[in-house]
């Protein structure tokens, strides 16, 4: 075949392939919308923050709905100059994922974060992110409940039968903790919330820490899911909140206590749970846009079986 013809043929074929891809995307309802800009904040955490960021970035990118940037704070030995130079570009993004549990941020960063959310930006805080910033009053409002002692504030659990919130006052009952890592059943409490819509009411989460006794102002929170904390695993015997949302100005803050991963831990069960990945992706989309277009993937866990997949193996 003459060279020019084969080049032309190639061009036509590749155009056709693109057309096919596009029409397939339209059929699937993935209108090729602009990617949602996500900023993950890490740099300090008693957990394996580098591995956690890597896993979450891979999950978000695998959905083809997000472009992900990471801003890593100075470490514990960061100099004054390094902290003065660290200014995450919240405003260039639509949603900020918190994977940070460490020393307080500079006031300028705190203020920029609050302004970002108040102006309509989304925030999604994962696992130990709610352990941080005990003395930052506004932060405690945004997360509603954090890893704090019993005297810090109220505790909120869920009545399994009615789904109603149960408030335990400051000073009474257990403070923050968790039992042994184990597989546990998550109960969806807000079935019509866009993040939860279409999920099975009960699904088995892969081995993780089940946080209990979280404390804080606990105001304006909508609990999207909970899990029964089994005393046999060192839990409380109560239905502890797992994922919840709190509005702030024009923005929304999603907190999920799922997603434990130690530095050096070999498995990624909690982060590679298809349930966790679905919640993460949908929470980011919802917090950024107010809508969820990401479908529940095939292979989502059931009430009988966990489901663990590396991010690239899930077809979204
Ligand atoms: Zn943990």
């Amino acid at each position: 075949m003459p060279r020019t013809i084969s080049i032309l043929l190639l061009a036509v074929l590749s155009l056709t392939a693109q057309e096919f891809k596009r029409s397939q995307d339209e059929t699937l309802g993935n209108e090729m919308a602009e990617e949602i800009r996500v900023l993950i904040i890490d740099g300090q955490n008693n957990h394996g923050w580098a591995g956690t960021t890597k896993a979450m970035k891979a999950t978000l990118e695998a959905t083809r709905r997000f472009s992900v940037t990471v801003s890593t704070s100075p470490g514990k030995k960061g100099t004054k100059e390094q902290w003065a130079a660290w200014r995450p570009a919240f405003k260039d993004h639509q949603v900020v994922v918190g994977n940070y549990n460490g020393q307080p941020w500079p006031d300028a960063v705190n203020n920029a974060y609050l302004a970002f959310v108040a102006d309509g930006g989304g925030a999604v805080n994962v696992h130990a992110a709610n352990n941080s910033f005990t003395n930052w009053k506004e932060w405690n409002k945004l997360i509603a409940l954090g890893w704090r002692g019993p005297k810090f504030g109220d505790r909120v659990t869920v009545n399994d039968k009615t789904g109603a919130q149960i408030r335990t006052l400051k000073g009474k009952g257990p403070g923050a903790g968790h039992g042994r890592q184990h597989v546990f059943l998550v109960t969806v409490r807000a079935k019509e919330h866009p993040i939860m819509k279409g999920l099975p009411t009960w699904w088995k989460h892969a081995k993780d820490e089940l946080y209990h006794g979280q404390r804080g102002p606990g105001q304006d929170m909508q609990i999207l899911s909970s899990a029964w904390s089994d005393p046999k695993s060192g839990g409380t015997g109560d239905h502890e909140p797992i994922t919840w949302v709190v509005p702030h100005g024009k923005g929304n803050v999603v907190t999920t206590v799922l997603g434990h991963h130690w530095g050096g831990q070999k498995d990624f069960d909690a982060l590679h749970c298809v349930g966790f990945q679905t919640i993460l992706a949908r929470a980011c989309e919802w917090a950024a846009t107010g809508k969820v277009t990401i479908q529940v993937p095939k292979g989502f866990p059931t009430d009988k079986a966990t489901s663990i997949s590396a991010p690239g193996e899930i077809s979204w």
Side-chain angles (χ1 to χ4, degrees), residues 46-47 127-128 131 178 181 208-209 211 259-262:
N46 57 330
H47 290 71
H127 195 59
N131 297 197
H178 58 73
Q181 288 187 43
D208 202 341
E209 291 171 348
Y211 275 17
H260 169 85
H261 183 75
W262 288 133

Side-chain angles (χ1 to χ4, degrees), residues 256-267:
T256 184
V257 295
L258 303 178
H260 169 85
H261 183 75
W262 288 133
Q265 186 180 325
K266 295 236 164 59
D267 71 82

Side-chain angles (χ1 to χ4, degrees), residues 41-104:
I41 304 287
D42 64 14
Q44 291 192 25
N45 205 316
N46 57 330
H47 290 71
W49 56 263
T52 301
T53 290
K54 199 175 164 196
M56 294 198 298
K57 187 171 188 284
T59 292
L60 294 172
E61 287 172 348
T63 67
R64 300 190 299 137
R65 190 80 178 92
F66 305 96
S67 64
V68 183
T69 309
V70 180
S71 178
T72 301
S73 76
K76 280 183 187 155
K77 290 180 182 161
T79 63
K80 256 189 177 173
E81 290 71 28
Q82 285 169 329
W83 278 104
W86 184 64
R87 293 292 179 265
F90 300 124
K91 282 194 170 166
D92 295 342
H93 298 83
Q94 291 161 277
V95 55
V96 174
V97 175
N99 175 27
Y100 180 95
N101 174 22
Q103 64 194 108

Side-chain angles (χ1 to χ4, degrees), residues 229-273:
S229 173
D230 188 346
K232 278 188 197 150
S233 310
T236 57
D238 295 318
H239 275 264
E240 301 285 345
I242 294 294
T243 300
W244 59 91
V245 299
V246 175
H248 176 70
K250 293 182 201 155
N252 282 293
V253 182
V254 184
T255 299
T256 184
V257 295
L258 303 178
H260 169 85
H261 183 75
W262 288 133
Q265 186 180 325
K266 295 236 164 59
D267 71 82
F268 279 80
D269 286 9
L271 295 166
H272 285 180
C273 165

Side-chain angles (χ1 to χ4, degrees), residues 101-119:
N101 174 22
Q103 64 194 108
W105 294 339
D107 285 346
V109 176
N110 284 3
N111 294 335
Y113 182 85
L114 294 174
F116 166 77
V117 181
D119 286 348

